[in-house]
Amino acid sequence: DCAFHGTFISFVVKGGYPLVASGPFLLVLDPQNGGRITVENSFLPPSGMETVDSIALAGDYAIVQDFSNGRVGVYDVRNPKAPLEKGSARFATGSVVELFYDAPYLYAILPLRWNPEGAFTGDTHAVICHFPDPGDLATFDSTPANAQSPVNLGDTALQSATLENGILYCATPSVVEMVDVTTPSSPALAGRFDDSGFHPHNQPVGVAVSGDLRVVGDLAGLTAFDRGGARTSYLLTGSWISGGFFYYKPFSLDREGRLGLISFEGEGVQVVDFSSVTPRRLGFWENTVGGSSGYVNDSLLMPSGQIAYVATEDTTQGALARGRIVILSLANPDKPEEAGSYQPSGAQAG
């Protein structure tokens, strides 16, 4: 049994198994047990780390980070049911709030700006570290490749970020910054999407990119935009999209950029069709807890567009709020159905 309370923070899927950064543990879940998710295994953080707060896949390895002490660790996940700890290394820049890996670099979003003298300011920023072989921590250079060119994202909290084709998209409470990181030593601002004048609730809470589709969510709806920073379409969702904390991932798109999964804080998940000029809602799954709607913090749509994983939160228990992982079947996107679930600490699942 996995006896802890709290929400699931971040997860990825390797070989059909969700790997969940849950804080105290790295959890490996088995979703193939007759529609009922079970814990296949659980692992303590890598040596030197206190928690597992975020996770990124790097081929056969999972890179994790500890927000409290600013270390990054690695698991060998060639056998995803039994990850092998490879140790951890100090991240010279301190605490990390978001990780991405695109060989041979590790991209990190930090709540403080780093400079070559080791001083910090109160700005959110991005750093890029050379890490050519995630299986060998000795190859990790914790001094940023862009030490002379820090990417300053402003003095407001990051809401969401994603990396696609050499562009780092960062949603802040006011704009989406598009940063070209194809030259790691000198990243540059490539564009900005600022739709603040469109309606009074244009406050970005999340961003997702797939192919030519770029979508940002605000407090009232979804907006598609192009690389030039121009709005191309808009969908009023009528619900409050999950956001406000860096670990929320409110959007997920399929690999063709045609189908989207949108998480809503106090309700559930909407399935949206982006294949036409005007996005349209297809179906809705409600996260029902105790007869009312519960929180949804994270969603991951698999590349096929047929299966999705959703991280939810049962807030009816106050300080003992529990997380739950749900598998959604999108075989009929007009009627998404729960195919299985897992809730820790002895709670009934399925």
Side-chain angles (χ1 to χ4, degrees):
D1 193 11
C2 177
F4 74 95
H5 296 287
T7 61
F8 293 115
I9 299 173
S10 177
F11 64 92
V12 297
V13 177
K14 173 69 173 178
Y17 291 87
L19 307 177
V20 183
S22 67
F25 304 102
L26 174 74
L27 299 180
V28 180
L29 304 184
D30 182 0
Q32 305 169 38
N33 186 17
R36 178 187 176 91
I37 302 179
T38 57
V39 175
E40 177 71 27
N41 222 328
S42 64
F43 300 86
L44 292 172
S47 57
M49 297 175 60
E50 299 174 5
T51 58
V52 180
D53 296 320
S54 188
I55 184 169
L57 271 183
D60 289 328
Y61 299 92
I63 302 174
V64 296
Q65 62 88 17
D66 181 339
F67 181 75
S68 62
N69 66 14
R71 295 184 72 87
V72 293
V74 174
Y75 294 94
D76 182 332
V77 292
R78 282 176 286 190
N79 177 4
K81 294 195 295 183
L84 298 175
E85 180 205 332
K86 302 291 288 184
S88 70
R90 181 176 176 269
F91 206 1
T93 51
S95 298
V96 176
V97 298
E98 186 72 275
L99 284 178
F100 304 99
Y101 185 80
D102 188 8
Y105 292 97
L106 179 67
Y107 300 80
I109 308 293
L110 288 85
L112 300 172
R113 194 171 102 188
W114 182 91
N115 65 38
E117 288 74 40
F120 295 88
T121 70
D123 293 331
T124 301
H125 72 292
V127 298
I128 306 168
C129 293
H130 196 232
F131 197 5
D133 182 4
D136 182 2
L137 277 163
T139 69
F140 175 61
D141 186 353
S142 65
T143 300
N146 66 317
Q148 303 299 326
S149 302
V151 180
N152 187 357
L153 300 173
D155 58 359
T156 55
L158 179 79
Q159 303 295 299
S160 175
T162 190
L163 178 67
E164 182 81 8
N165 294 327
I167 302 294
L168 189 63
Y169 296 82
C170 301
T172 73
S174 55
V175 300
V176 177
E177 304 281 12
M178 293 178 270
V179 182
D180 186 338
V181 294
T182 53
T183 303
S185 60
S186 56
L189 186 64
R192 172 178 292 162
F193 177 63
D194 183 354
D195 212 24
S196 55
F198 184 46
H199 65 71
H201 300 294
N202 269 120
Q203 301 173 37
V205 295
V207 62
V209 181
S210 178
D212 292 329
L213 179 64
R214 300 163 188 84
V215 179
V216 62
D218 54 41
L219 299 183
L222 307 171
T223 305
F225 61 98
D226 60 24
R227 270 290 301 274
R231 182 186 344 113
T232 56
S233 61
Y234 184 77
L235 172 67
L236 183 66
T237 57
S239 299
W240 192 290
I241 296 174
S242 299
F245 297 97
F246 59 81
Y247 49 79
Y248 282 4
K249 308 293 186 303
F251 303 118
S252 189
L253 303 173
D254 70 4
R255 60 186 166 203
E256 316 233 302
R258 294 184 301 185
L259 194 68
L261 203 66
I262 318 299
S263 306
F264 296 91
E265 280 189 358
E267 296 184 23
V269 172
Q270 284 188 14
V271 183
V272 177
D273 179 5
F274 289 100
S275 61
S276 62
V277 175
T278 304
R280 63 187 182 93
R281 169 174 157 166
L282 296 178
F284 178 73
W285 172 79
E286 183 179 13
N287 177 37
T288 304
V289 178
S292 60
S293 295
Y295 274 64
V296 174
N297 294 339
D298 197 349
S299 62
L300 179 63
L301 180 62
M302 298 305 290
S304 66
Q306 297 293 303
I307 292 291
Y309 293 89
V310 181
T312 72
E313 178 181 355
D314 176 359
T315 57
T316 63
Q317 302 182 52
L320 298 181
R322 294 174 178 165
R324 190 168 76 110
I325 292 285
V326 175
I327 296 181
L328 287 185
S329 169
L330 302 180
N332 179 1
D334 291 333
K335 295 185 65 176
E337 295 183 343
E338 185 172 323
S341 68
Y342 164 72
Q343 187 170 33
S345 199
Q348 182 66 33

